[in-house]
């Protein structure tokens, strides 16, 4: 994976995490903000998954039904992590 690709997924990862944290404190009382947050979180989650799907196809990464890929942002290395539990 290239540093540019790493930067793409890192930006999406940080945005997704930030929105998830924000969702913990925003209530439906502020309807406009809540609706924007829900929409943005959904769109970011979709972009995040699409990025992984596209790169998996491009690079031919193996998959596992109980697995997910993780990236080391320092080295740009991708690892398949399988949850056997």
């Amino acid at each position: 994976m290239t540093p540019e690709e790493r930067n793409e997924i890192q930006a999406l990862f940080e945005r997704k995490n930030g929105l998830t944290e924000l969702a913990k404190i925003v209530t439906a009382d502020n309807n406009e903000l809540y609706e924007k947050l829900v929409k943005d979180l959904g769109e970011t989650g979709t972009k995040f998954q699409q990025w992984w799907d596209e790169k998996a196809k491009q690079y031919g990464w193996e998959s596992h039904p109980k697995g997910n890929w993780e990236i080391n942002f320092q080295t740009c290395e991708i690892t398949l992590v399988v949850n056997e539990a």
Side-chain angles (χ1 to χ4, degrees):
M1 164 175 315
T2 67
E4 292 79 18
E5 291 169 327
R6 182 251 345 254
N7 294 345
E8 290 172 10
I9 195 60
Q10 188 170 15
L12 287 169
F13 176 78
E14 290 172 357
R15 181 170 185 80
K16 185 176 170 230
N17 284 348
L19 290 168
T20 300
E21 288 301 311
L22 185 58
K24 293 176 182 178
I25 59 173
V26 172
T27 64
D29 295 341
N30 186 338
N31 192 46
E32 184 177 336
L33 180 59
Y34 180 78
E35 291 299 322
K36 180 171 177 22
L37 174 63
V38 168
K39 181 180 178 199
D40 201 3
L41 191 54
E43 289 173 357
T44 301
T46 298
K47 288 177 186 176
F48 185 81
Q49 187 59 52
Q50 285 174 338
W51 186 95
W52 282 107
D53 293 344
E54 289 170 8
K55 298 305 172 193
K57 185 176 180 182
Q58 176 183 347
Y59 289 108
W61 295 335
E62 82 177 75
S63 62
H64 188 279
K66 294 183 180 179
N68 63 286
W69 298 295
E70 292 184 357
I71 181 171
N72 179 323
F73 290 119
Q74 299 288 330
T75 65
C76 298
E77 292 178 329
I78 302 297
T79 307
L80 177 62
V81 177
V82 178
N83 181 4
E84 294 294 342

